[in-house]
Amino acid sequence: MRPRQTKKVLLILFTAVFASALLAGCSARTENVHFNSDFSLEISGAGSYSCANKIDKALSELENAISAALPGSDVGRVNAAPVGEPISVGEDFAYLYELCLYLYNQTPAFNPFIFPLVELWKFDPAGFTLSPQSIPTAEQINGLLPVCGADSFSFDPETRTVTKLKEGAKLDFGQSAKGYAADIAAGIAGGNEYVVNVGGTIRTNKKIKVAVTSPTGEGYAARFTLDNAAVATSGNYERCYIFEGVKYHHIIGPDGYPAGLNEGEPILSATVVGKEGALCDALSTLVFIEGAKSEALLKKLGYSALIITQNTYKVIGDIDFEILEPRQAA
């Protein structure tokens, strides 16, 4: 059995207004597992129970369509296809492909095509282990880098087909899938009041308090008010292992190694707040890798971020984060 992953862990502190609405009757709560992560939904308003059931069903269908862990999904079929064979994909795959390609073209640090290296490091859902017997060699990493780029695939939006162009190329939407699932849930919720949490990526049309998990110990590093928006966090503490005294995590940088591995004070977590869950999800990965270099893109898109290292923090944008651990502004 694969260990359940909670890619982005945040604590929701619900407002009294929302809690009282749940007690009033026209409300529903549901919990499940989607994308091998904990999923929860709290929704209030007319038809809440029906809405909750539709959301749960939609997320199951979405996982079956875009999970790299499922051979029959669109992603699984594309990854298994021989070079040169066009593979028909659905609307969800097409949307995520174009979103990820847009971010990749902004900076290749965000790379949905790096999945062969994720597998090499054993951070993929099927291969993840807490006790690896070895880590990749430089020769292995350099051998895979040439297939880990956008030029390894072609996408035809007219026919909605994807063609693999290089042997060994694979892609994965793990950087954005949970956020996209939260967006799907929000769309189904319609005018109802809701808070949806997919593996720690949260979207709501309420005003709620959110606390960001500390990447260095127990408790929380910061808190803020999330108001009709989404939030996601990427951290080095989520999917990781220790080999010969060195900690390795699942967010692979452009050089093929876990991001920040050889930096003096690497980024430990990156939290992004904005309108859409898919973009928050993807941008949190990008900011984790790029750090302050991502500021221009965040401002262009209108998203905010909190970057945390061992001793410092940096806020980008206009979200008022309350820092709860002793750190200095970078």
Side-chain angles (χ1 to χ4, degrees):
M1 178 182 293
R2 299 195 305 270
R4 186 178 302 173
Q5 298 160 7
T6 53
K7 179 174 181 286
K8 307 175 192 318
V9 182
L10 298 153
L11 176 72
I12 307 176
L13 305 173
F14 293 104
T15 63
V17 173
F18 192 75
S20 64
L22 290 172
L23 294 173
C26 295
S27 62
R29 298 174 186 237
T30 184
E31 294 182 356
N32 207 332
V33 175
H34 292 297
F35 296 96
N36 201 30
S37 298
D38 292 329
F39 159 79
S40 66
L41 170 71
E42 301 205 12
I43 184 168
S44 64
S48 293
Y49 282 98
S50 174
C51 211
N53 290 333
K54 288 179 182 178
I55 289 171
D56 204 43
K57 180 181 178 182
L59 266 56
S60 293
E61 293 173 350
L62 178 65
E63 182 172 7
N64 289 334
I66 64 172
S67 173
L70 301 176
S73 72
D74 287 352
V75 173
R77 292 186 302 107
V78 168
N79 286 346
V83 171
E85 180 180 323
I87 303 297
S88 296
V89 297
E91 292 182 5
D92 296 314
F93 183 108
Y95 176 86
L96 287 172
Y97 189 96
E98 293 187 314
L99 172 67
C100 290
L101 185 61
Y102 166 78
L103 292 175
Y104 176 88
N105 287 334
Q106 301 298 307
T107 168
F110 179 83
N111 188 353
F113 311 104
I114 208 165
F115 196 57
L117 281 162
V118 174
E119 289 185 317
L120 180 66
W121 281 96
K122 298 189 183 304
F123 287 121
D124 59 298
F128 179 59
T129 175
L130 292 172
S131 304
Q133 300 302 305
S134 64
I135 60 170
T137 65
E139 183 178 13
Q140 289 174 313
I141 291 169
N142 291 333
L144 283 179
L145 280 173
V147 303
C148 293
D151 59 350
S152 292
F153 296 90
S154 67
F155 175 63
D156 186 341
E158 300 258 341
T159 60
R160 218 160 61 202
T161 57
V162 180
T163 305
K164 185 185 296 185
L165 303 178
K166 295 182 181 180
E167 187 66 41
K170 293 183 179 182
L171 53 80
D172 173 42
F173 297 134
Q175 314 98 324
S176 53
K178 295 182 182 70
Y180 181 60
D183 293 337
I184 294 292
I188 296 172
N192 291 329
E193 295 176 347
Y194 66 87
V195 180
V196 59
N197 183 337
V198 187
T201 298
I202 299 166
R203 181 163 170 173
T204 181
N205 59 358
K206 292 290 297 179
K207 181 181 288 189
I208 62 173
K209 293 289 186 181
V210 176
V212 181
T213 298
S214 170
T216 55
E218 301 296 328
Y220 304 100
R223 62 189 172 200
F224 67 101
T225 299
L226 184 66
D227 187 2
N228 191 24
V231 59
T233 296
S234 290
N236 75 340
Y237 53 88
E238 294 158 350
R239 209 183 322 158
C240 60
Y241 53 68
I242 295 176
F243 179 77
E244 295 184 348
V246 179
K247 183 177 183 179
Y248 299 90
H249 61 78
H250 73 290
I251 303 175
I252 308 301
D255 61 355
Y257 292 83
L261 183 62
N262 297 312
E263 295 179 9
E265 186 158 355
I267 292 172
L268 303 183
S269 77
T271 297
V272 173
V273 181
K275 183 178 179 181
E276 296 181 7
L279 258 178
C280 285
D281 212 352
L283 288 170
S284 70
T285 299
L286 189 156
V287 174
F288 184 92
I289 298 171
E290 290 270 87
K293 290 189 290 185
S294 60
E295 184 167 358
L297 178 59
L298 286 168
K299 289 183 175 179
K300 174 183 175 181
L301 296 172
Y303 282 61
S304 299
L306 170 66
I307 302 171
I308 294 177
T309 72
Q310 182 73 34
N311 300 304
T312 69
Y313 72 91
K314 179 178 178 60
V315 175
I316 299 172
D318 57 3
I319 298 296
D320 185 16
F321 289 95
E322 179 187 359
I323 306 302
L324 302 177
E325 294 181 323
R327 284 188 172 84
Q328 295 182 341

